[in-house]
Amino acid sequence: MNKKISLFALGAALIAVPVIAAPGGAKADGDGTLTRTEAQAHATQMFAKMDFNKDGKIDAADRTSKRAEMQAKKFASLDADGNGSISQAEWTNQGAKRAERAEKRAAAGEMSEGKRHAMRGPGKRGGYRGMHGGMMGKADTNGDKAVSQAEFQTAALARFDAADANKDGRVTAEERKAQRGEWRAKRAAPAAPAS
């Protein structure tokens, strides 16, 4: 179980790595291309954001810290009067607000939360394949179930280098589009049978 939590935490953290060189990635200068230097700076910023407990690595402890932070914020949003408990009226009010937001999303034609979650599964972004191997396995080079800043940088720059098809030190929108097509093809390919 602990191993699964660690893999989940690392995989979730590393899902952000494609942002560096993938579609819509960091464009520090806004010219539509991403340089290797910009990718490296973005990776440094992303690592700092994901290392919630600031221990120099991304692991299950970071996931636990982030979850506790999110739960505290959610509780505070429910506890409207700030008395440390959630009354029936506060709970009912939150449910009414949630229903109102869902109606607005439906009217705007946005996908429902249930459908969004249903899209996640094996091979989907945020799904199981990316969390149990894949990016995590590639970034965690020493196998300690944690990703150091150096490992994170190395993985981010490897993704940048893979996207930089003409090796000019810049990733253009066309190169990102081509890489996105390759990733989709890999995800759609059936998994190789275990031997």
Side-chain angles (χ1 to χ4, degrees), residues 112-123:
S112 73
E113 187 67 22
K115 286 186 181 179
R116 227 175 310 172
H117 285 297
M119 289 177 60
R120 295 181 183 160

Side-chain angles (χ1 to χ4, degrees), residues 24 28 45-48 60 62 68 81 93 97 108 131 146 163 186:
Q45 292 171 348
M46 290 300 296
F47 183 87
D62 293 298
D81 62 10
N93 185 37
K97 287 180 183 178
M131 292 183 218
K186 284 181 184 177

Side-chain angles (χ1 to χ4, degrees), residues 13 58 61 85 92 115 123 132 148 150 152 166 195:
I58 300 170
S85 64
T92 302
K115 286 186 181 179
H132 300 292
S148 68
F152 191 87
N166 64 3
S195 38

Side-chain angles (χ1 to χ4, degrees), residues 168-186:
D168 66 351
R170 301 169 62 85
V171 175
T172 64
E174 292 80 21
E175 287 172 320
R176 287 192 303 273
K177 186 176 180 180
Q179 186 183 46
R180 187 173 40 229
E182 290 173 21
W183 290 339
R184 285 183 181 141
K186 284 181 184 177

Side-chain angles (χ1 to χ4, degrees), residues 24-136:
K27 297 175 195 148
D29 59 10
D31 67 356
T33 63
L34 179 66
T35 66
R36 199 166 200 278
T37 302
E38 291 167 347
Q40 190 167 12
H42 186 62
T44 299
Q45 292 171 348
M46 290 300 296
F47 183 87
K49 286 180 182 178
M50 289 187 279
D51 183 14
F52 297 110
N53 61 6
K54 306 301 178 207
D55 65 354
K57 62 186 177 198
I58 300 170
D59 59 8
D62 293 298
R63 182 170 184 260
T64 301
S65 297
K66 181 62 177 174
R67 177 173 279 161
E69 177 186 312
M70 290 171 55
Q71 287 175 341
K73 285 181 181 179
K74 182 65 177 173
F75 183 87
S77 75
L78 292 171
D79 185 17
D81 62 10
N83 69 353
S85 64
I86 300 170
S87 68
Q88 180 67 38
E90 289 169 328
W91 183 257
T92 302
N93 185 37
Q94 183 66 21
K97 287 180 183 178
R98 187 178 303 122
E100 184 179 321
R101 285 191 305 267
E103 286 176 20
K104 286 181 182 178
R105 281 193 303 266
E110 290 182 15
M111 197 178 300
S112 73
E113 187 67 22
K115 286 186 181 179
R116 227 175 310 172
H117 285 297
M119 289 177 60
R120 295 181 183 160
K124 305 289 191 289
R125 185 172 181 165
Y128 313 118
R129 189 179 298 170
M131 292 183 218
H132 300 292
M135 289 182 286
M136 189 283 300

Side-chain angles (χ1 to χ4, degrees), residues 133-154:
M135 289 182 286
M136 189 283 300
K138 291 176 186 174
D140 182 16
T141 55
N142 64 4
D144 67 352
K145 306 296 182 243
V147 176
S148 68
Q149 185 164 7
E151 288 173 322
F152 191 87
Q153 280 281 346
T154 299

